[in-house]
Amino acid sequence: MKTSVSTNSPPEVGATLQRLRLARGLTLEDLSRIAGVSKSMLSQIEREKANPTIAITWRLANALGVQIGELLSNAVKTVETIRVLDAHETPTLPGDHAGYILRILGPMELAGKYEWYELTLAPAGELASQAHDPGTSEHLTVLHGSMELEVGASKKKIKTGGTARYPADQQHVIRNLGKTEAKALLVVIHR
């Protein structure tokens, strides 16, 4: 696809960023949280009051699930029939201090409705979550290793291949009590 971007001026990242953000149903606050970029900086970029650094552009592209070049292009893209994200393009929420890595597998436009993640827990790692909105449920399928799930006062162990379904509108913790890394798929359904 040919683009008609002038080489004499920087690309208008703001308009493209806003178009992509709105197409995914994200607020500035949502994108700020996912990309790790301040809400005020995002607002300035969208209003063309600031140009993002390469690092910020990379974070935004990852958070939106697009190639960095798409943010820098003023051309309107045609919709692809099949969109493949390489591993390095999948947004990741590192919880190094707690021993987890959460890869965001679901598209950003479904955030707040349906979300799915790949959860990796180091030995003794845990993902502790506050209560989500009323009616929210989670579905945890262990792919490798085993995990302990604590929801309210209940605790259950889930082995490889097992799936736990539970209310996520109360505090809950997923732990790896094993001596090796554990991995699971985590699906969150908001009501």
Side-chain angles (χ1 to χ4, degrees):
M1 171 180 279
K2 293 182 180 179
T3 59
S4 58
V5 177
S6 169
T7 57
N8 296 331
S9 62
E12 294 178 1
V13 176
T16 304
L17 174 62
Q18 186 176 50
R19 177 178 53 82
L20 291 169
R21 177 179 64 78
L22 293 174
R24 285 156 178 76
L26 297 173
T27 65
L28 282 172
E29 190 172 320
D30 294 335
L31 185 56
S32 171
R33 182 176 36 83
I34 295 165
V37 176
S38 76
K39 186 176 163 183
S40 62
M41 173 57 85
L42 291 175
S43 176
Q44 289 178 18
I45 293 168
E46 285 193 359
R47 292 180 290 126
E48 303 294 346
K49 300 290 185 195
N51 284 317
T53 64
I54 295 290
I56 288 175
T57 305
W58 182 85
R59 283 179 175 174
L60 293 171
N62 279 333
L64 293 166
V66 298
Q67 298 282 338
I68 197 168
E70 189 169 340
L71 267 181
L72 300 176
S73 171
N74 292 337
V76 175
K77 302 285 183 181
T78 58
V79 176
E80 296 178 84
T81 303
I82 298 174
R83 170 93 167 95
V84 176
L85 293 177
D86 291 329
H88 72 277
E89 295 177 281
T90 303
T92 302
L93 301 171
D96 299 327
H97 61 284
Y100 73 82
I101 297 173
L102 203 56
R103 294 181 65 225
I104 305 170
L105 302 178
M108 291 299 132
E109 60 267 21
L110 292 179
K113 296 176 188 160
Y114 304 99
E115 302 167 13
W116 56 100
Y117 305 90
E118 176 189 73
L119 171 62
T120 304
L121 289 175
E126 72 175 30
L127 174 62
S129 299
Q130 294 300 316
H132 300 310
D133 292 332
T136 301
S137 63
E138 289 187 0
H139 307 264
L140 179 74
T141 301
V142 177
L143 302 173
H144 175 73
S146 64
M147 296 182 180
E148 178 188 73
L149 174 64
E150 181 179 348
V151 180
S154 299
K155 285 186 185 180
K156 294 275 185 179
K157 185 173 181 178
I158 306 112
K159 299 177 185 175
T160 299
T163 298
R165 304 182 196 289
Y166 52 95
D169 54 4
Q170 55 188 299
Q171 187 171 341
H172 50 285
V173 182
I174 304 167
R175 294 185 183 90
N176 178 2
L177 301 178
K179 296 183 184 198
T180 60
E181 182 178 274
K183 193 171 288 218
L185 289 178
L186 176 61
V187 176
V188 183
I189 300 174
H190 299 270
R191 301 234 190 261

